[in-house]
Amino acid sequence: MKYSDVVVIGAGQAGLSAAYFLRRAGFEPGTGYVVLDGADGPGGAWQYRWRTLSLADVHGIYQLPGMPLETTDDSQPAADALADYFAAYERKFELPIRRQVKVEAVRHTETERLLVATDSGDWAARAVINATGTWTRPFWPYYPGRETFRGRQLHTADYRGPAEFAGQHVVVVGGGASAVQLLAEISEVASTTWVTRRPPLFRDGPFTQNDGRAVVAAIDQRVRAGLPPGSIASATGIHLRPQERAAQRRGVLERQPMFARITPTGVVWADGREQRADVILWCTGFRSALDHLAPLGVRVSGGGIRMDGTRVVAEPRLHLVGYGPSASTIGANRAGRAAVREIRELLTPALSA
């Protein structure tokens, strides 16, 4: 058993932000705080993004606290640039990150500490900051016949680039920004069909600060009520880059409503129309990776976790960052600062004893 005042779970944007503020608040590496990360290298979810996603293509990158993101090559794959940036950040601030450590469960104990059980041994912590994001929990909706499809099915999380689909017909499912981005580039080498549950909302004008505040406030209200947070991205609309505008002019972004079922060779709509397909690409989003918190029993009847800021109401030693209203890069930074401030107040008597 190892002991640390604060265990941070996850070393993406939210986890590194929390670690930075813990360091600045005077917590000692190791005994004061430690960061457990399941990946084999720096970069959070960014390191797994498709190679054709460049820095110039990414909306809303926000630098980590205390160190600017400096680059002179916007054509560089975001996966490489941000993995390098995260690695440099970890080195600069000498953050105590332990990698390829899978957190299996967080449990109550008979002491004042929470038990963080991992595949590399257990930790006892006075407080836990959970920053596990969503990338490890891709959402696959079920439609009748999905298991019969003889072609290939993959999720956004599996996508590596358009070249492998050359000459095929790809059905892209999903109404978010990722679906539109992948659809545009796949359509350069393959024929496509775009399917969404609701008509997409394209945003022509700028997404203002007031727009952002309204979206975050709505999600904050949901998590305070114990409801699942929903997606920030789905509430902001889809901003089309030049390549998606070009695809729109080519007719690629003419969406179809959701099909009724899947057949061995394609998809079928309720009116009997059929579309042959070689590939179904599910751009259907992600869910928060929180299964390891189940032993704490913090979910409520609404299906979510009732929050007060970053603090879980049912377990004040547990903070969620990069969740709900802080599930954006700038929100993650602010959440890291807020979580550390509250944890510092919570632990002050124990730390001074």
Side-chain angles (χ1 to χ4, degrees):
M1 178 77 71
K2 295 174 281 289
Y3 293 82
S4 188
D5 289 319
V6 185
V7 170
V8 180
I9 307 173
Q13 179 101 16
L16 293 184
S17 171
Y20 169 85
F21 288 110
L22 284 165
R23 178 184 185 276
R24 201 171 75 167
F27 287 83
E28 291 293 328
T31 57
Y33 75 108
V34 66
V35 183
L36 308 180
D37 190 46
D40 60 0
W46 288 108
Q47 64 190 293
Y48 305 114
R49 300 299 177 99
W50 51 97
R51 305 295 301 173
T52 48
L53 183 71
S54 71
L55 276 181
D57 296 328
V58 176
H59 303 303
I61 291 179
Y62 194 81
Q63 65 188 29
L64 286 158
M67 179 176 160
L69 170 60
E70 297 177 346
T71 179
T72 58
D73 183 7
D74 282 346
S75 67
Q76 186 180 11
D80 292 344
L82 292 168
D84 290 346
Y85 172 53
F86 280 30
Y89 189 86
E90 293 173 12
R91 290 192 301 269
K92 176 176 179 178
F93 295 108
E94 300 178 327
L95 302 179
I97 297 174
R98 304 201 175 202
R99 285 219 150 77
Q100 290 188 281
V101 176
K102 180 182 178 182
V103 174
E104 297 170 337
V106 181
R107 300 187 177 94
H108 293 114
T109 70
E110 295 180 357
T111 72
E112 80 283 2
R113 292 178 180 265
L114 295 171
L115 175 69
V116 181
T118 84
D119 60 356
S120 302
D122 296 343
W123 289 79
R126 290 193 170 98
V128 170
I129 297 177
N130 190 84
T132 45
T134 62
W135 188 258
T136 58
R137 280 205 63 199
F139 175 63
W140 295 75
Y142 179 77
Y143 282 85
R146 194 182 75 181
E147 68 282 357
T148 70
F149 184 60
R150 293 199 293 262
R152 183 184 177 198
Q153 296 186 67
L154 69 160
H155 191 274
T156 309
D158 308 307
Y159 182 78
R160 294 296 176 264
E164 61 188 289
F165 307 113
Q168 299 182 328
H169 188 88
V170 182
V171 173
V172 178
V173 183
S178 293
V180 172
Q181 290 177 9
L182 303 192
L183 182 67
E185 62 182 50
I186 291 171
S187 69
E188 297 281 356
V189 300
S191 58
T192 58
T193 299
W194 185 27
V195 180
T196 71
R197 287 194 299 126
R198 293 182 293 271
L201 173 63
F202 296 122
R203 176 174 291 276
D204 293 323
F207 186 73
T208 67
Q209 289 187 348
N210 285 338
D211 292 331
R213 292 190 191 100
V215 170
V216 169
I219 293 177
D220 182 64
Q221 186 175 16
R222 288 181 61 83
V223 299
R224 286 180 183 274
L227 298 172
S231 168
I232 287 181
S234 66
T236 61
I238 303 171
H239 174 73
L240 299 181
R241 304 172 300 171
Q243 51 266 56
E244 282 104 40
R245 290 287 184 195
Q248 188 177 46
R249 290 192 293 271
R250 290 189 280 112
V252 171
L253 301 190
E254 295 177 3
R255 53 82 62 171
Q256 298 292 323
M258 278 305 303
F259 44 75
R261 59 189 175 90
I262 301 172
T263 72
T265 58
V267 297
V268 178
W269 282 266
D271 62 5
R273 289 182 300 122
E274 298 185 28
Q275 174 60 59
R276 181 196 64 80
D278 301 292
V279 179
I280 301 175
L281 174 57
W282 298 91
C283 298
T284 44
F286 299 79
R287 299 294 184 264
S288 297
L290 301 176
D291 290 350
H292 55 288
L293 302 180
L296 296 177
V298 293
R299 286 199 184 273
V300 297
S301 58
I305 299 174
R306 183 169 286 116
M307 306 285 297
D308 181 7
T310 64
R311 178 174 58 85
V312 174
V313 172
E315 175 47 83
R317 295 171 294 180
L318 174 63
H319 287 254
L320 306 184
V321 297
Y323 171 83
S326 65
S328 65
T329 52
I330 187 169
N333 286 1
R334 291 172 176 168
R337 181 191 295 111
V340 170
R341 182 174 58 249
E342 288 205 19
I343 286 172
R344 182 68 182 174
E345 293 174 358
L346 175 71
L347 300 186
T348 295
L351 292 174
S352 60

